[in-house]
Amino acid sequence: MLRLKIIACDVLNREISYLASQSEHFTDVTFVHQGLHDTPEKLNKRLQYEIDRANEGFPYNYFDTCPDYDYIIVCYGLCSNGITGISSRRLPMVVPKAHDCITLLLGSKERYMDLFRQQPGTYWFSTGWIERGWQPGELKYTTLQREYIQKYGEENAEYLMEMEQSWMKEYNNAGFISWSSFKNNEFYRSAARSAADFLNWDFFEVPGNPDLLKNMLNGRFNENEVLIVPPGAKIAASNDNDIITVEGDNQDV
Amino acid sequence: MSILNEISQALQSGKAKIVKELVQKAVDEGLSAVNILNSGLLDGMAVIGEKFKNDEIYVPDVLIAARAMNAGTEIIKPLLISSGAKAVGKVVIGTVFGDLHDIGKNLVKMMLEGRGLEVVDLGVNVPAQKFIDMAIQENAQIICCSTLLTTTMPEMEIVVNAAKNAGIREKVTIMIGGAPVNQSYCDKISADIYTADAASAAEEAVKACKAGEA
């Protein structure tokens, strides 16, 4: 039985909690607050902190029988380059080859890229995005508007709301990723649908696929899916189809 | 408080209307347009830039300050032109193909205009070739590419290559920016300039144009 330390974004809380319970290995999960991709430097520091802690040793090490985790699994995509530069002192890290959590929810980077091309202008919804993030929609709009008026005055508020909405006007679709293992998809579906209605987006639903996360949490590390980062090495963006690499390996030939 | 100081303060609070009035007043009092720009408007914007860098203020504060700056520069623009100061240079700006986010791009645009650059805004989701075609058509010295997504970062390299293929690579400065972009990516794709924030982008753009003239 492998001892796996999993560091994951809270946006994947339900998916990872579910898969961790089904894993054939020991899993120890730390969830990190959702939204840090907006401030990649903070995300980076926070992940490095968690990785350093995991390197201190296995918490149930009786009489030095099992001093360490076997792997640290970093359940993050590149996430605005928030993971580049991080390294693990003594233990190997396993990191999915992904731009962001949408790949992890859809099951493969290839499927994400296909959908990214087929359905341009899609804003994605999932359990975590709905529960653990403030999604665009009527409530967010009216609340922000009120806050801006209070803080900056009517005229500036109008301008800020216009800026705030501008990218939303460019989006066309609300894509809801549903995992069949969950019992309350109707709730998430209707939340995504009502946001879509408010923003005049088309709604569509795609089934998620747990395989990528499932493989990782069961110690099945496939080269196409994950990068194994040896102790001391740093994660870097590869700027190609592999998405990530080990620093020093991404030089142009 | 001197009127230039008042302009700077009003700009920092994002009071566009007051900035406009104060700039007009300063003009009426005989202050030079260049002085108003540098010691009033850009001074205020520098403070905003610094506070933003230090996490003391957030994007909305920067947006309204930049908007106030633009309200002020509108007044002095004709004076700068009539005093013989021509536009510092011309920039073609856009968010790269596949990416629909434009707040950062709009902010950079406002900062560039504040520094006296002429800006052609191509909007979002701009195909690489369009940056090149427009740069040629507008005779622009600079192309600015923005992206928020790592998924669309490779588009920036396509822009660089398209400039090479069109034979304008030596003539045009390519600047890149956006949350996931950094200096090492800029080096890797052989773009010319990366900056971490909008104010430094404008500063570097001005330098690049001046260097081009020399």
Side-chain angles (χ1 to χ4, degrees):
Chain A
M1 198 189 222
L2 292 171
R3 290 182 295 274
L4 305 176
K5 174 71 204 183
I6 294 146
I7 300 165
C9 179
D10 202 24
V11 85
L12 296 168
N13 192 307
R14 278 184 190 265
E15 289 77 9
I16 287 184
S17 298
Y18 173 73
L19 293 172
S21 76
Q22 312 288 309
S23 171
E24 55 198 76
H25 297 296
F26 174 94
T27 57
D28 186 2
V29 188
T30 294
F31 288 109
V32 174
H33 196 87
Q34 189 280 124
L36 291 177
H37 61 276
D38 280 341
T39 47
E41 279 173 29
K42 286 184 190 156
L43 173 59
N44 197 283
K45 280 196 188 122
R46 179 62 199 274
L47 289 179
Q48 189 59 62
Y49 168 80
E50 295 296 344
I51 289 160
D52 290 346
R53 275 186 45 170
N55 268 282
E56 285 168 14
F58 187 64
Y60 304 101
N61 175 22
Y62 302 111
F63 297 97
D64 218 16
T65 48
C66 42
D68 277 318
Y69 291 107
D70 292 297
Y71 291 97
I72 299 173
I73 298 187
V74 181
C75 279
Y76 274 85
L78 199 47
C79 299
S80 263
N81 278 328
I83 67 163
T84 57
I86 61 173
S87 66
S88 168
R89 204 157 28 89
R90 295 190 306 113
L91 305 174
M93 288 190 291
V94 179
V95 191
K97 295 178 174 174
H99 281 288
D100 51 45
C101 57
I102 306 306
T103 292
L104 310 182
L105 293 165
L106 290 171
S108 77
K109 58 182 186 303
E110 289 77 18
R111 184 153 177 246
Y112 179 33
M113 268 337 265
D114 284 349
L115 283 164
F116 192 81
R117 292 196 184 106
Q118 282 164 21
Q119 305 270 26
T122 295
Y123 190 93
W124 296 101
F125 290 86
S126 72
T127 63
W129 280 100
I130 291 163
E131 289 175 339
R132 293 153 209 269
W134 205 22
Q135 294 316 298
E138 193 168 3
L139 179 67
K140 186 172 185 176
Y141 185 88
T142 52
T143 311
L144 269 186
Q145 192 176 40
R146 197 184 57 228
E147 286 291 311
Y148 285 159
I149 289 174
Q150 214 174 358
K151 200 168 168 201
Y152 304 111
E154 286 276 354
E155 199 222 356
N156 271 333
E158 197 183 315
Y159 168 71
L160 288 173
M161 288 312 289
E162 204 180 295
M163 295 297 275
E164 194 88 30
Q165 298 303 104
S166 70
W167 66 265
M168 293 181 207
K169 288 193 191 120
E170 303 286 344
Y171 274 66
N172 312 308
N173 308 302
F176 169 53
I177 306 169
S178 61
W179 276 32
S180 57
S181 351
F182 296 141
K183 307 289 178 226
N184 48 355
N185 274 328
E186 194 41 53
F187 169 80
Y188 302 113
R189 184 177 295 123
S190 77
R193 202 185 276 278
S194 78
D197 288 345
F198 181 73
L199 294 157
N200 259 329
W201 292 341
D202 291 329
F203 172 88
F204 72 91
E205 181 168 339
V206 288
N209 183 330
D211 287 353
L212 172 54
L213 284 172
K214 197 196 258 174
N215 285 342
M216 290 170 69
L217 267 60
N218 283 284
R220 295 189 289 267
F221 305 140
N222 302 321
E223 205 191 325
N224 182 45
E225 293 183 329
V226 298
L227 175 74
I228 298 187
V229 184
K234 286 181 177 174
I235 301 174
S238 70
N239 303 308
D240 61 18
N241 289 339
D242 270 347
I243 303 169
I244 51 169
T245 182
V246 168
E247 200 170 285
D249 279 1
N250 62 340
Q251 302 305 319
D252 284 329
V253 195
Chain B
M1 190 161 46
S2 80
I3 189 152
L4 292 174
N5 207 339
E6 280 182 63
I7 291 171
S8 170
Q9 293 294 335
L11 180 148
Q12 290 171 47
S13 330
K15 294 183 173 130
K17 219 177 126 202
I18 294 174
V19 168
K20 209 170 165 180
E21 286 165 10
L22 286 170
V23 169
Q24 187 59 56
K25 197 172 150 208
V27 170
D28 294 344
E29 284 177 10
L31 273 74
S32 80
V34 175
N35 194 12
I36 297 170
L37 177 66
N38 289 331
S39 308
L41 298 167
L42 290 176
D43 177 82
M45 221 44 226
V47 176
I48 286 289
E50 197 57 33
K51 283 189 175 169
F52 181 66
K53 221 180 277 174
N54 297 332
D55 275 346
E56 290 168 50
I57 55 169
Y58 299 97
V59 172
D61 303 272
V62 183
L63 283 172
I64 59 170
R67 178 170 177 251
M69 181 183 72
N70 268 27
T73 45
E74 278 306 307
I75 309 264
I76 51 172
K77 209 184 256 174
L79 301 172
L80 287 168
I81 293 167
S82 70
S83 70
K86 44 181 184 126
V88 180
K90 206 174 204 181
V91 181
V92 167
I93 192 170
T95 303
V96 299
F97 185 62
D99 192 342
L100 307 173
H101 300 88
D102 64 357
I103 292 183
K105 184 263 294 168
N106 292 340
L107 193 52
V108 173
K109 178 188 171 190
M110 285 194 278
M111 294 305 298
L112 292 168
E113 287 174 341
R115 286 280 183 156
L117 288 138
E118 210 179 316
V119 182
V120 182
D121 186 356
L122 306 180
V124 298
N125 199 19
V126 181
Q129 194 55 41
K130 191 165 177 203
F131 279 104
I132 307 307
D133 293 346
M134 290 307 286
I136 294 170
Q137 188 187 316
E138 298 287 336
N139 207 9
Q141 292 93 326
I142 298 180
I143 293 175
C144 285
C145 303
S146 165
T147 190
L148 183 72
L149 309 172
T150 56
T151 344
T152 49
M153 269 171 67
E155 277 295 319
M156 295 177 154
E157 187 169 14
I158 299 178
V159 173
V160 174
N161 290 335
K164 276 184 206 152
N165 293 339
I168 61 163
R169 186 65 191 94
E170 304 306 317
K171 286 186 237 156
V172 72
T173 300
I174 300 179
M175 297 181 60
I176 61 172
V181 182
N182 53 31
Q183 186 60 49
S184 78
Y185 186 66
C186 180
D187 298 341
K188 183 180 186 290
I189 66 168
S190 304
D192 298 304
I193 299 169
Y194 158 77
T195 64
D197 61 88
S200 351
E203 211 169 294
E204 291 297 322
V206 170
K207 271 192 217 158
C209 286
K210 291 200 171 142
E213 276 170 21

